[in-house]
Amino acid sequence: MLTNESTLRILLADDDEDDRTFFSEAIAELKMTNQLTLFNDGKDLMEYMHNPDAKLPHILFLDLNMPYKNGLDCLKEIRADQRFKNVSIAIYSTSSSEKDIENTFVEGANIYIKKPNDFSELKKVIKEVVHMNWQFHSSGLNKETFFFSI
Amino acid sequence: MKLYINFDGITACRVILQEQLERLEIKYQLLDLGEIEISDEVPAETFAELQQSLGRYSINIVNNQKAQLIQKIKDTIVEMVYEKDKMPNTTISHYLSDKLNFSYGHLANIFSENTYTSIENFIIIQKVERAKKLIIEEELTLTEISYKLNYSSVAYLSSQFKKVTGLTPSMFKRIVDKRRKLTNN
């Protein structure tokens, strides 16, 4: 990278332990310097986000189905708060219905990921998402019309 | 006596930057990811002093030519996509190497080694960004937009749009409209 200080801050909220492990391994293979923080559910995530001292992430990956507070509720809550307007939100879902995808973007998501079934595909998808997000971040592109469905 | 400390390097770095910039009376804004926006021209002397005082904390100003060249490539592409009424008819590789006085191979290598994308892909992203703006403005039809951005057909514009966003132009428009409705209510 151009500057060594550049560290991409990534958060993931997912209640499935295996999914969290796969995700961490995929992130570990990125060439981009990054710092990953994991949450087991939406409630823990939102507690972190609402802490004024917390470092805000550049990108947040949200599983849709989680106990206590699901991904869609987190998405709405985050988008209702101007403080988080620069945080890119990637929704992780098993659905590939066009209607679900459209609704998720309307609610304020930037990225919609249809959960891949195998690990090599997951690595590819995460890399593409992080790199696309980087273009928006580093080239000052308009985040309000940043939609990426993969 | 032994003291145990814990510290947050990023906060420490921000405070050092603030203190040093303020000491030298430089108008600044701290951005994310190791970037500082300087609002006025800084005299060479002050700049050297800043470089020296930050150096004591192992904070270095990245002032390399590579970073500057990459920024120039990006600026040239953005200008080409946005400010010309129509994209140039010469190939993009000729256009860039003529404007920046480097071989295209050199530019392409430096770009892809440092930006996580390629020049070709960056151009596609920028063209799709402009297409998004034009779609939202609603003044041009998709056919007119594809002509303006030098696509050979609407089908080709739509397929590049889909490649970058995963959406069709019409789905994109629908999402933007629905979002606006939602925030206006």
Side-chain angles (χ1 to χ4, degrees):
Chain A
M1 259 329 296
L2 295 177
T3 51
N4 298 325
E5 299 85 1
S6 317
T7 299
L8 187 76
R9 287 189 298 278
I10 305 171
L11 301 188
L12 167 73
D14 193 324
D15 61 321
D16 186 298
E17 197 185 337
D18 288 341
D19 280 354
R20 286 198 303 270
T21 309
F22 286 136
F23 186 90
S24 310
E25 285 172 17
I27 292 290
E29 291 195 14
L30 291 175
K31 284 201 186 107
M32 205 177 280
T33 324
N34 65 76
Q35 185 193 344
L36 171 66
T37 314
L38 302 171
F39 298 91
N40 300 353
D41 60 66
K43 215 169 124 263
D44 281 357
L45 167 77
M46 291 315 298
E47 270 169 28
Y48 173 91
M49 293 293 281
H50 286 310
N51 174 359
D53 297 329
K55 278 250 166 284
L56 292 181
H58 298 103
I59 183 165
L60 159 65
F61 290 83
L62 269 178
D63 183 28
L64 269 191
N65 298 310
M66 288 185 288
Y68 311 119
K69 192 173 266 182
N70 69 36
L72 198 61
D73 288 337
C74 295
L75 173 65
K76 288 182 187 169
E77 203 175 318
I78 291 169
R79 282 302 175 235
D81 192 333
Q82 276 297 304
R83 193 161 75 90
F84 306 130
K85 69 178 184 348
N86 284 325
V87 177
S88 298
I89 302 180
I91 294 286
Y92 229 69
S93 167
T94 46
S95 159
S96 58
S97 103
E98 196 164 293
K99 201 169 176 317
D100 286 344
I101 296 174
E102 190 174 313
N103 285 340
T104 314
F105 283 131
V106 171
E107 294 294 351
N110 302 100
I111 298 145
Y112 188 97
I113 301 169
K114 163 86 177 73
K115 260 187 197 177
N117 288 324
D118 69 282
F119 184 54
S120 68
E121 190 59 25
L122 175 75
K123 281 194 289 194
K124 209 175 128 232
V125 164
I126 287 180
K127 191 170 150 193
E128 272 196 53
V129 164
V130 169
H131 285 183
M132 182 60 86
N133 188 61
W134 179 258
Q135 302 313 321
F136 273 78
H137 178 74
S138 64
S139 298
L141 305 180
N142 184 1
K143 282 239 173 135
E144 284 184 21
T145 54
F146 173 26
F147 305 123
F148 184 40
S149 170
I150 185 166
Chain B
M1 182 174 81
K2 213 185 225 171
L3 290 178
Y4 295 90
I5 61 163
N6 71 53
F7 59 89
D8 170 3
I10 295 170
T11 309
C13 178
R14 289 183 85 90
V15 174
I16 292 169
L17 288 171
Q18 280 163 352
E19 285 174 357
Q20 295 302 321
L21 288 159
E22 273 157 29
R23 185 175 66 83
L24 295 167
E25 295 177 339
I26 298 171
K27 280 194 194 137
Y28 70 97
Q29 202 189 343
L30 293 186
L31 308 172
D32 240 2
L33 287 173
E35 287 175 0
I36 305 168
E37 177 85 38
I38 305 286
S39 22
D40 297 325
E41 284 279 313
V42 177
E45 245 170 67
T46 317
F47 192 82
E49 204 183 329
L50 178 68
Q51 229 164 354
Q52 199 196 356
S53 54
L54 292 180
R56 286 192 310 172
Y57 303 98
S58 295
I59 300 173
N60 302 308
I61 297 173
V62 183
N63 196 11
N64 63 36
Q65 290 174 322
K66 222 194 247 180
Q68 286 176 7
L69 184 57
I70 288 164
Q71 195 53 49
K72 269 193 197 159
I73 298 172
K74 286 188 175 183
D75 292 347
T76 309
I77 291 171
V78 170
E79 185 200 49
M80 180 179 85
V81 172
Y82 279 82
E83 287 171 20
K84 298 263 174 351
D85 206 34
K86 213 162 167 293
M87 307 267 293
N89 284 321
T90 55
T91 61
I92 279 152
S93 51
H94 276 121
Y95 184 75
L96 283 174
S97 58
D98 277 359
K99 274 220 131 182
L100 302 174
N101 284 327
F102 282 104
S103 77
Y104 184 69
H106 176 71
L107 296 175
N109 280 339
I110 279 204
F111 196 86
S112 51
E113 275 164 17
N114 294 283
T115 62
Y116 304 107
T117 188
S118 62
I119 287 186
E120 286 81 2
N121 209 35
F122 187 78
I123 294 171
I124 294 173
I125 292 173
Q126 288 293 345
K127 283 174 81 173
V128 167
E129 277 300 291
R130 176 139 196 237
K132 285 181 187 174
K133 288 202 178 86
L134 293 168
I135 290 170
I136 293 172
E137 284 169 14
E138 288 180 335
E139 277 171 16
L140 301 176
T141 64
L142 267 192
T143 311
E144 287 163 338
I145 294 172
S146 57
Y147 178 75
K148 203 180 177 86
L149 293 176
N150 245 9
Y151 287 108
S152 51
S153 65
V154 176
Y156 190 40
L157 163 66
S158 298
S159 88
Q160 284 214 329
F161 196 94
K162 181 115 198 193
K163 188 184 163 218
V164 173
T165 63
L167 308 172
T168 61
S170 57
M171 193 170 166
F172 167 78
K173 181 73 173 46
R174 224 167 35 238
I175 291 167
V176 171
D177 288 346
K178 284 189 180 173
R179 242 195 207 192
R180 281 190 178 159
K181 243 190 195 163
L182 201 71
T183 39
N184 288 339
N185 285 341

